[in-house]
Amino acid sequence: MTPGAFALFVDAWVLAVGACVGSFLNVVIARVPKGRSIVAPPSSCPRCGKRIAWYDNIPVLSWLLLRARCRSCGLPISARYPLVEVLAALLVFAVWKQLGLQGSTLGFAAFVCALLALTFIDLDTWLLPHQLTWPLLALGLISPLWNAELSWMEAGVGALAGFGVFAAIALFGEKVLHKETMGWGDVWLLAAIGAWLGWPALLPVVLLSAIQGSVVGIALLLLGRGPAEKERAERERLAQEMAAAQPASPPATEPGATAATELGATAATEPGATAATEPVSTESAAQLDTDDDWVPPPHALPYGPFLALAALETLLAHDAIVKLFYAVFGKLAA
Ligand SMILES: [Zn+2]
């Protein structure tokens, strides 16, 4: 095998491994928010419950061969499964191309995969589970063990500063404004990012996430309704049906009643009538501490995906971003 062919073979192998990890991330995204095991039972069709055979569970290829339909029940399989697999493959490949064969490559591959899973979990549930953010923070704090470019000081200060800045914003919102400005999941995620990338990366991460979050938020406002609002409208319609069916709200401690309370709280707000920063409703505003009862305000966006995106950009396109940063701010200062 010539060196060129060998390099191609290794690249293909990295892409394939990344896609397989993406397949596992699909399981993480579906199960971790529900507190279910990510090891057992094996994957089954979410619609008919039939076990998925290994030959129908090959990343991306099976979805294409099955033409996006379950072999057993024939119902559509979401394009999100192959999307997560492709994204994982590309991100792992990008880390490999950037860092090559060295100690930090495997660590950063795990880091980008965790960010990918957290992004989709936050989009689905508006939560960043501690089961993922805390281990990610712990690994980041010990990552100088395998990442020679990162000092213990940079990792430790990065975690503390990341936590401190967002915790201050969250506490200011809760205690002074009595609004949720920053979720605690975002606080832990920025702490983890600070540990993995070191404190010098925090300013670009915070700036990039804020700028891109604002651009997307404004675009969704201008376009009228984003996908999140469509889902919201659907939930409100359901809530009104449920409210009509059972007028008395059952105690929130009963399982199943939580869903009704949550949907009821959603119905209490009118979409579009309140600005994104307004408290959602008296009912849910009083329960801001418990994430379970929190209802996204109209036009709100989860912040986790933008933090993850900014961290990925800072890790994978660091030099280009620093150049752009100085090009823009250098001109402003001159
Ligand atoms: Zn099925």
Side-chain angles (χ1 to χ4, degrees), residues 279-293:
V280 179
S281 70
T282 27
E283 188 184 351
S284 60
Q287 297 169 341
L288 273 183
D289 298 344
T290 55
D291 281 344
D292 289 346
D293 297 315

mmCIF file with all atom_site columns, all heavy atoms in Angstrom, residues 279-293:
data_model
loop_
_atom_site.group_PDB
_atom_site.id
_atom_site.type_symbol
_atom_site.label_atom_id
_atom_site.label_alt_id
_atom_site.label_comp_id
_atom_site.label_asym_id
_atom_site.label_entity_id
_atom_site.label_seq_id
_atom_site.pdbx_PDB_ins_code
_atom_site.Cartn_x
_atom_site.Cartn_y
_atom_site.Cartn_z
_atom_site.occupancy
_atom_site.B_iso_or_equiv
_atom_site.pdbx_formal_charge
_atom_site.auth_seq_id
_atom_site.auth_comp_id
_atom_site.auth_asym_id
_atom_site.auth_atom_id
_atom_site.pdbx_PDB_model_num
ATOM 1   N N   . PRO A 1 279 ? -41.839 37.249 31.737 1.00 0.00 ? 279 PRO A N   1
ATOM 2   C CA  . PRO A 1 279 ? -42.082 35.995 32.434 1.00 0.00 ? 279 PRO A CA  1
ATOM 3   C C   . PRO A 1 279 ? -43.183 35.221 31.716 1.00 0.00 ? 279 PRO A C   1
ATOM 4   O O   . PRO A 1 279 ? -44.097 35.819 31.146 1.00 0.00 ? 279 PRO A O   1
ATOM 5   C CB  . PRO A 1 279 ? -42.565 36.429 33.824 1.00 0.00 ? 279 PRO A CB  1
ATOM 6   C CG  . PRO A 1 279 ? -42.277 37.872 33.924 1.00 0.00 ? 279 PRO A CG  1
ATOM 7   C CD  . PRO A 1 279 ? -42.138 38.409 32.547 1.00 0.00 ? 279 PRO A CD  1
ATOM 8   N N   . VAL A 1 280 ? -43.083 33.911 31.754 1.00 0.00 ? 280 VAL A N   1
ATOM 9   C CA  . VAL A 1 280 ? -43.971 33.082 30.943 1.00 0.00 ? 280 VAL A CA  1
ATOM 10  C C   . VAL A 1 280 ? -45.406 33.183 31.428 1.00 0.00 ? 280 VAL A C   1
ATOM 11  O O   . VAL A 1 280 ? -46.331 33.455 30.691 1.00 0.00 ? 280 VAL A O   1
ATOM 12  C CB  . VAL A 1 280 ? -43.487 31.623 30.982 1.00 0.00 ? 280 VAL A CB  1
ATOM 13  C CG1 . VAL A 1 280 ? -44.420 30.760 30.172 1.00 0.00 ? 280 VAL A CG1 1
ATOM 14  C CG2 . VAL A 1 280 ? -42.082 31.547 30.445 1.00 0.00 ? 280 VAL A CG2 1
ATOM 15  N N   . SER A 1 281 ? -45.588 32.964 32.720 1.00 0.00 ? 281 SER A N   1
ATOM 16  C CA  . SER A 1 281 ? -46.900 33.133 33.324 1.00 0.00 ? 281 SER A CA  1
ATOM 17  C C   . SER A 1 281 ? -46.659 33.113 34.816 1.00 0.00 ? 281 SER A C   1
ATOM 18  O O   . SER A 1 281 ? -45.619 32.680 35.275 1.00 0.00 ? 281 SER A O   1
ATOM 19  C CB  . SER A 1 281 ? -47.843 31.997 32.918 1.00 0.00 ? 281 SER A CB  1
ATOM 20  O OG  . SER A 1 281 ? -47.424 30.811 33.547 1.00 0.00 ? 281 SER A OG  1
ATOM 21  N N   . THR A 1 282 ? -47.614 33.584 35.589 1.00 0.00 ? 282 THR A N   1
ATOM 22  C CA  . THR A 1 282 ? -47.411 33.600 37.035 1.00 0.00 ? 282 THR A CA  1
ATOM 23  C C   . THR A 1 282 ? -47.152 32.193 37.532 1.00 0.00 ? 282 THR A C   1
ATOM 24  O O   . THR A 1 282 ? -46.303 31.980 38.383 1.00 0.00 ? 282 THR A O   1
ATOM 25  C CB  . THR A 1 282 ? -48.653 34.169 37.750 1.00 0.00 ? 282 THR A CB  1
ATOM 26  O OG1 . THR A 1 282 ? -49.779 33.931 36.932 1.00 0.00 ? 282 THR A OG1 1
ATOM 27  C CG2 . THR A 1 282 ? -48.478 35.622 38.052 1.00 0.00 ? 282 THR A CG2 1
ATOM 28  N N   . GLU A 1 283 ? -47.878 31.248 36.970 1.00 0.00 ? 283 GLU A N   1
ATOM 29  C CA  . GLU A 1 283 ? -47.743 29.879 37.445 1.00 0.00 ? 283 GLU A CA  1
ATOM 30  C C   . GLU A 1 283 ? -46.324 29.354 37.254 1.00 0.00 ? 283 GLU A C   1
ATOM 31  O O   . GLU A 1 283 ? -45.692 28.871 38.183 1.00 0.00 ? 283 GLU A O   1
ATOM 32  C CB  . GLU A 1 283 ? -48.724 28.978 36.687 1.00 0.00 ? 283 GLU A CB  1
ATOM 33  C CG  . GLU A 1 283 ? -48.773 27.574 37.249 1.00 0.00 ? 283 GLU A CG  1
ATOM 34  C CD  . GLU A 1 283 ? -49.683 26.686 36.423 1.00 0.00 ? 283 GLU A CD  1
ATOM 35  O OE1 . GLU A 1 283 ? -50.382 27.212 35.533 1.00 0.00 ? 283 GLU A OE1 1
ATOM 36  O OE2 . GLU A 1 283 ? -49.684 25.486 36.658 1.00 0.00 ? 283 GLU A OE2 1
ATOM 37  N N   . SER A 1 284 ? -45.815 29.504 36.015 1.00 0.00 ? 284 SER A N   1
ATOM 38  C CA  . SER A 1 284 ? -44.497 28.934 35.767 1.00 0.00 ? 284 SER A CA  1
ATOM 39  C C   . SER A 1 284 ? -43.389 29.839 36.303 1.00 0.00 ? 284 SER A C   1
ATOM 40  O O   . SER A 1 284 ? -42.326 29.364 36.646 1.00 0.00 ? 284 SER A O   1
ATOM 41  C CB  . SER A 1 284 ? -44.298 28.673 34.279 1.00 0.00 ? 284 SER A CB  1
ATOM 42  O OG  . SER A 1 284 ? -44.421 29.875 33.574 1.00 0.00 ? 284 SER A OG  1
ATOM 43  N N   . ALA A 1 285 ? -43.662 31.151 36.411 1.00 0.00 ? 285 ALA A N   1
ATOM 44  C CA  . ALA A 1 285 ? -42.642 32.050 36.946 1.00 0.00 ? 285 ALA A CA  1
ATOM 45  C C   . ALA A 1 285 ? -42.352 31.713 38.403 1.00 0.00 ? 285 ALA A C   1
ATOM 46  O O   . ALA A 1 285 ? -41.228 31.825 38.869 1.00 0.00 ? 285 ALA A O   1
ATOM 47  C CB  . ALA A 1 285 ? -43.097 33.491 36.821 1.00 0.00 ? 285 ALA A CB  1
ATOM 48  N N   . ALA A 1 286 ? -43.387 31.268 39.116 1.00 0.00 ? 286 ALA A N   1
ATOM 49  C CA  . ALA A 1 286 ? -43.194 30.916 40.514 1.00 0.00 ? 286 ALA A CA  1
ATOM 50  C C   . ALA A 1 286 ? -42.396 29.628 40.647 1.00 0.00 ? 286 ALA A C   1
ATOM 51  O O   . ALA A 1 286 ? -41.894 29.320 41.707 1.00 0.00 ? 286 ALA A O   1
ATOM 52  C CB  . ALA A 1 286 ? -44.554 30.756 41.194 1.00 0.00 ? 286 ALA A CB  1
ATOM 53  N N   . GLN A 1 287 ? -42.296 28.882 39.561 1.00 0.00 ? 287 GLN A N   1
ATOM 54  C CA  . GLN A 1 287 ? -41.637 27.578 39.641 1.00 0.00 ? 287 GLN A CA  1
ATOM 55  C C   . GLN A 1 287 ? -40.364 27.559 38.811 1.00 0.00 ? 287 GLN A C   1
ATOM 56  O O   . GLN A 1 287 ? -39.971 26.514 38.308 1.00 0.00 ? 287 GLN A O   1
ATOM 57  C CB  . GLN A 1 287 ? -42.594 26.498 39.131 1.00 0.00 ? 287 GLN A CB  1
ATOM 58  C CG  . GLN A 1 287 ? -43.826 26.387 39.999 1.00 0.00 ? 287 GLN A CG  1
ATOM 59  C CD  . GLN A 1 287 ? -44.885 25.519 39.358 1.00 0.00 ? 287 GLN A CD  1
ATOM 60  O OE1 . GLN A 1 287 ? -44.848 25.289 38.169 1.00 0.00 ? 287 GLN A OE1 1
ATOM 61  N NE2 . GLN A 1 287 ? -45.815 25.035 40.152 1.00 0.00 ? 287 GLN A NE2 1
ATOM 62  N N   . LEU A 1 288 ? -39.728 28.705 38.669 1.00 0.00 ? 288 LEU A N   1
ATOM 63  C CA  . LEU A 1 288 ? -38.544 28.765 37.811 1.00 0.00 ? 288 LEU A CA  1
ATOM 64  C C   . LEU A 1 288 ? -37.440 27.833 38.289 1.00 0.00 ? 288 LEU A C   1
ATOM 65  O O   . LEU A 1 288 ? -36.636 27.377 37.498 1.00 0.00 ? 288 LEU A O   1
ATOM 66  C CB  . LEU A 1 288 ? -38.007 30.200 37.772 1.00 0.00 ? 288 LEU A CB  1
ATOM 67  C CG  . LEU A 1 288 ? -38.629 31.095 36.707 1.00 0.00 ? 288 LEU A CG  1
ATOM 68  C CD1 . LEU A 1 288 ? -37.970 32.445 36.716 1.00 0.00 ? 288 LEU A CD1 1
ATOM 69  C CD2 . LEU A 1 288 ? -38.509 30.465 35.326 1.00 0.00 ? 288 LEU A CD2 1
ATOM 70  N N   . ASP A 1 289 ? -37.410 27.545 39.602 1.00 0.00 ? 289 ASP A N   1
ATOM 71  C CA  . ASP A 1 289 ? -36.337 26.712 40.141 1.00 0.00 ? 289 ASP A CA  1
ATOM 72  C C   . ASP A 1 289 ? -36.403 25.293 39.602 1.00 0.00 ? 289 ASP A C   1
ATOM 73  O O   . ASP A 1 289 ? -35.395 24.672 39.365 1.00 0.00 ? 289 ASP A O   1
ATOM 74  C CB  . ASP A 1 289 ? -36.425 26.666 41.677 1.00 0.00 ? 289 ASP A CB  1
ATOM 75  C CG  . ASP A 1 289 ? -36.256 28.055 42.251 1.00 0.00 ? 289 ASP A CG  1
ATOM 76  O OD1 . ASP A 1 289 ? -35.773 28.917 41.497 1.00 0.00 ? 289 ASP A OD1 1
ATOM 77  O OD2 . ASP A 1 289 ? -36.607 28.267 43.412 1.00 0.00 ? 289 ASP A OD2 1
ATOM 78  N N   . THR A 1 290 ? -37.623 24.798 39.441 1.00 0.00 ? 290 THR A N   1
ATOM 79  C CA  . THR A 1 290 ? -37.752 23.422 38.973 1.00 0.00 ? 290 THR A CA  1
ATOM 80  C C   . THR A 1 290 ? -37.822 23.425 37.457 1.00 0.00 ? 290 THR A C   1
ATOM 81  O O   . THR A 1 290 ? -38.762 23.944 36.876 1.00 0.00 ? 290 THR A O   1
ATOM 82  C CB  . THR A 1 290 ? -39.018 22.770 39.546 1.00 0.00 ? 290 THR A CB  1
ATOM 83  O OG1 . THR A 1 290 ? -40.120 23.591 39.202 1.00 0.00 ? 290 THR A OG1 1
ATOM 84  C CG2 . THR A 1 290 ? -38.933 22.641 41.049 1.00 0.00 ? 290 THR A CG2 1
ATOM 85  N N   . ASP A 1 291 ? -36.802 22.831 36.863 1.00 0.00 ? 291 ASP A N   1
ATOM 86  C CA  . ASP A 1 291 ? -36.695 22.831 35.412 1.00 0.00 ? 291 ASP A CA  1
ATOM 87  C C   . ASP A 1 291 ? -37.886 22.135 34.758 1.00 0.00 ? 291 ASP A C   1
ATOM 88  O O   . ASP A 1 291 ? -38.257 22.447 33.649 1.00 0.00 ? 291 ASP A O   1
ATOM 89  C CB  . ASP A 1 291 ? -35.406 22.128 34.984 1.00 0.00 ? 291 ASP A CB  1
ATOM 90  C CG  . ASP A 1 291 ? -34.210 23.036 35.143 1.00 0.00 ? 291 ASP A CG  1
ATOM 91  O OD1 . ASP A 1 291 ? -34.431 24.252 35.290 1.00 0.00 ? 291 ASP A OD1 1
ATOM 92  O OD2 . ASP A 1 291 ? -33.084 22.540 35.115 1.00 0.00 ? 291 ASP A OD2 1
ATOM 93  N N   . ASP A 1 292 ? -38.488 21.175 35.476 1.00 0.00 ? 292 ASP A N   1
ATOM 94  C CA  . ASP A 1 292 ? -39.558 20.379 34.885 1.00 0.00 ? 292 ASP A CA  1
ATOM 95  C C   . ASP A 1 292 ? -40.748 21.226 34.468 1.00 0.00 ? 292 ASP A C   1
ATOM 96  O O   . ASP A 1 292 ? -41.421 20.920 33.501 1.00 0.00 ? 292 ASP A O   1
ATOM 97  C CB  . ASP A 1 292 ? -40.034 19.322 35.891 1.00 0.00 ? 292 ASP A CB  1
ATOM 98  C CG  . ASP A 1 292 ? -38.976 18.254 36.073 1.00 0.00 ? 292 ASP A CG  1
ATOM 99  O OD1 . ASP A 1 292 ? -38.061 18.213 35.242 1.00 0.00 ? 292 ASP A OD1 1
ATOM 100 O OD2 . ASP A 1 292 ? -39.064 17.498 37.042 1.00 0.00 ? 292 ASP A OD2 1
ATOM 101 N N   . ASP A 1 293 ? -41.019 22.274 35.240 1.00 0.00 ? 293 ASP A N   1
ATOM 102 C CA  . ASP A 1 293 ? -42.220 23.055 34.988 1.00 0.00 ? 293 ASP A CA  1
ATOM 103 C C   . ASP A 1 293 ? -41.939 24.256 34.110 1.00 0.00 ? 293 ASP A C   1
ATOM 104 O O   . ASP A 1 293 ? -42.831 25.031 33.819 1.00 0.00 ? 293 ASP A O   1
ATOM 105 C CB  . ASP A 1 293 ? -42.829 23.519 36.321 1.00 0.00 ? 293 ASP A CB  1
ATOM 106 C CG  . ASP A 1 293 ? -43.252 22.319 37.147 1.00 0.00 ? 293 ASP A CG  1
ATOM 107 O OD1 . ASP A 1 293 ? -43.866 21.427 36.576 1.00 0.00 ? 293 ASP A OD1 1
ATOM 108 O OD2 . ASP A 1 293 ? -42.936 22.290 38.346 1.00 0.00 ? 293 ASP A OD2 1
#
